Amino acid sequence: MSLEQNIEERAAKFAQRYKAVYDELGKVIVGHGDILHGVLTCLFAGGHTLLEGVPGLGKTLLVKTLSEALDLNFNRIQFTPDLMPADILGTNMIVEDPEGRRRFEFQRGPIFTQICLADEINRATPKTQSALLEAMQEKRVSAAGTTFDLERPFFVMATQNPIEQEGTYPLPEAQLDRFFFKLVVGYSNRKDLNEILHRTTTGAVFTPAKVMHGAEIREHQQLVREVILAPHVQDYIARLVLATHPEGEYAAPATNQHLRWGASPRGAQTIALAAKVRALLGGRYNVSFDDIRRVYLPAMRHRVILNFEAEAENIAPDTVLVDILKAVPEKADDQKAA
């Protein structure tokens, strides 16, 4: 078998297995196809997902359904204002052995899992929210003077209500930057709402089957990183990120007008990995410009900060990012000259 045939077979297998998980989610979740694709892109790219939407749109149900379709350990953490970091990470407790001697023993918290649902994460204080930082970035937990590695794959899916809702604490920028995608869950349309009513008020039960285990997920995550990113395509990603930096060399007009801060290199890494997933789904082993454009908004909407003018005019980050996307050409002038 040639290298090209092997690559094509691996890409085809990835697309097939991806669709198997997607179909299982679709047995329970009605509509929201873009949201399902976004969540699975995060999973296979090795990132974490932030789902934002008003209560009752099925955000929590989506996470629980994903845990049922994957043969992985699952824990749910309900964030509340009185939740403490130790309630997430764990704490030292005094235990007594059969001989009556007492000692401290670390009792692991619910973060020690593979799929962690951080439900209504913005209802906890910033101190508690920050307890997830190390786990999300380093895949480990430091507690009681010891570092514990988390089992791979480790995937955090957090839900939050819009910050305008009463009793919420906006996530700090450093916390937001740890999320691979921010997916905005909207209202269902007429057709989907009728289907939801039919499924939930007639006693029908839809249960997804477990179709993928941890070892296979890790294998697919490695495959994603092997997808080719050509230099001129990679440079397009770099210029898209640099275009979000106000007063920078590559800043777009919309950037200087509406943004206070732009995206970090983590934003560029996110776009690259997410675009590689999209390429595999298209049966390709190399990233296209269109792959990049398709993942740009969910990868960047939580990584840019609007200035006072934009907030006063109620301009959404997506609006600014679309203008930036239109302003940045696929090839830079120096590349065209070459």
Side-chain angles (χ1 to χ4, degrees), residues 77-130:
I77 306 173
Q78 183 65 52
F79 280 69
T80 57
D82 59 348
L83 192 72
M84 298 298 291
D87 298 326
I88 299 174
L89 305 179
T91 186
N92 269 334
M93 299 186 67
I94 298 177
V95 297
E96 186 174 310
D97 60 24
E99 299 177 358
R101 291 175 297 191
R102 296 181 178 180
R103 58 183 172 82
F104 281 107
E105 183 177 289
F106 182 72
Q107 299 293 321
R108 299 187 176 197
I111 194 65
F112 287 88
T113 187
Q114 290 178 286
I115 297 181
C116 179
L117 167 56
D119 209 5
E120 295 188 304
I121 189 173
N122 61 332
R123 292 209 177 277
T125 61
K127 176 181 179 180
T128 301
Q129 293 170 1
S130 65

Side-chain angles (χ1 to χ4, degrees), residues 19 24 34 40 81 104 119-120 125-126 157 159-160 190 202 208 232 243 292 317 327 331 336:
K19 186 177 184 301
E24 291 303 315
D34 290 343
L40 293 182
F104 281 107
D119 209 5
E120 295 188 304
T125 61
M157 291 187 65
T159 70
Q160 71 169 11
R190 178 181 176 182
T202 60
H232 65 285
I292 293 169
K331 289 189 177 182
K336 294 176 181 178

Side-chain angles (χ1 to χ4, degrees), residues 270-311:
T270 297
I271 295 172
L273 287 172
K276 290 184 176 186
V277 174
R278 302 307 306 177
L280 287 174
L281 291 179
R284 291 173 284 104
Y285 212 64
N286 59 286
V287 174
S288 69
F289 291 117
D290 189 55
D291 293 327
I292 293 169
R293 285 187 286 267
R294 292 184 67 178
V295 303
Y296 185 66
L297 289 182
M300 296 288 283
R301 60 167 56 107
H302 55 302
R303 292 188 163 96
V304 296
I305 301 178
L306 300 174
N307 59 21
F308 176 78
E309 178 183 346
E311 291 180 345

Side-chain angles (χ1 to χ4, degrees), residues 17-326:
R17 299 298 291 146
Y18 177 105
K19 186 177 184 301
V21 181
Y22 181 90
D23 289 344
E24 291 303 315
L25 295 180
K27 290 180 179 179
V28 179
I29 305 299
V30 178
H32 298 304
D34 290 343
I35 302 298
L36 299 184
H37 280 301
V39 168
L40 293 182
T41 297
C42 292
L43 173 68
F44 291 114
H48 309 288
T49 308
L50 177 63
L51 298 171
E52 181 179 279
V54 298
L57 297 181
K59 301 184 298 296
T60 303
L61 178 63
L62 169 57
V63 186
K64 293 175 66 177
T65 304
L66 180 65
S67 70
E68 292 172 358
L70 303 176
D71 191 13
L72 301 175
N73 297 324
F74 169 72
N75 280 335
R76 173 181 176 177
I77 306 173
Q78 183 65 52
F79 280 69
T80 57
D82 59 348
L83 192 72
M84 298 298 291
D87 298 326
I88 299 174
L89 305 179
T91 186
N92 269 334
M93 299 186 67
I94 298 177
V95 297
E96 186 174 310
D97 60 24
E99 299 177 358
R101 291 175 297 191
R102 296 181 178 180
R103 58 183 172 82
F104 281 107
E105 183 177 289
F106 182 72
Q107 299 293 321
R108 299 187 176 197
I111 194 65
F112 287 88
T113 187
Q114 290 178 286
I115 297 181
C116 179
L117 167 56
D119 209 5
E120 295 188 304
I121 189 173
N122 61 332
R123 292 209 177 277
T125 61
K127 176 181 179 180
T128 301
Q129 293 170 1
S130 65
L132 290 172
L133 284 174
E134 183 183 16
M136 293 175 64
Q137 182 64 30
E138 308 294 338
K139 308 291 194 301
R140 66 186 185 189
V141 171
S142 296
T146 306
T147 299
F148 304 89
D149 290 326
L150 296 171
E151 188 176 357
R152 310 292 178 91
F154 175 69
F155 183 44
V156 173
M157 291 187 65
T159 70
Q160 71 169 11
N161 300 323
I163 59 175
E164 292 82 4
Q165 298 272 334
E166 183 180 354
T168 60
Y169 300 84
L171 289 171
E173 286 73 19
Q175 181 86 53
L176 283 171
D177 203 33
R178 262 64 174 189
F179 286 102
F180 194 87
F181 273 1
K182 178 182 177 180
L183 303 173
V184 180
V185 184
Y187 293 107
S188 301
N189 59 32
R190 178 181 176 182
K191 178 182 177 182
D192 290 341
L193 189 55
N194 274 292
E195 179 63 21
I196 291 171
L197 289 172
H198 170 70
R199 292 190 182 189
T200 58
T201 62
T202 60
V205 178
F206 298 89
T207 304
K210 291 190 181 297
V211 293
M212 192 174 294
H213 52 74
E216 184 179 355
I217 294 173
R218 293 194 297 271
E219 178 184 327
H220 292 318
Q221 289 176 342
Q222 179 58 40
L223 174 64
V224 167
R225 293 179 177 271
E226 294 175 11
V227 174
I228 296 171
L229 185 62
H232 65 285
V233 180
Q234 178 176 289
D235 185 66
Y236 181 50
I237 296 175
R239 287 183 289 110
L240 280 173
V241 173
L242 292 173
T244 66
H245 298 170
E247 307 303 330
E249 180 181 356
Y250 300 95
T255 301
N256 293 329
Q257 184 177 0
H258 297 301
L259 294 186
R260 183 156 53 97
W261 295 102
S264 70
R266 193 177 282 124
Q269 294 167 341
T270 297
I271 295 172
L273 287 172
K276 290 184 176 186
V277 174
R278 302 307 306 177
L280 287 174
L281 291 179
R284 291 173 284 104
Y285 212 64
N286 59 286
V287 174
S288 69
F289 291 117
D290 189 55
D291 293 327
I292 293 169
R293 285 187 286 267
R294 292 184 67 178
V295 303
Y296 185 66
L297 289 182
M300 296 288 283
R301 60 167 56 107
H302 55 302
R303 292 188 163 96
V304 296
I305 301 178
L306 300 174
N307 59 21
F308 176 78
E309 178 183 346
E311 291 180 345
E313 297 178 9
N314 201 27
I315 295 175
D318 282 16
T319 303
V320 181
L321 290 171
V322 168
D323 290 340
I324 294 173
L325 198 58
K326 293 177 180 178

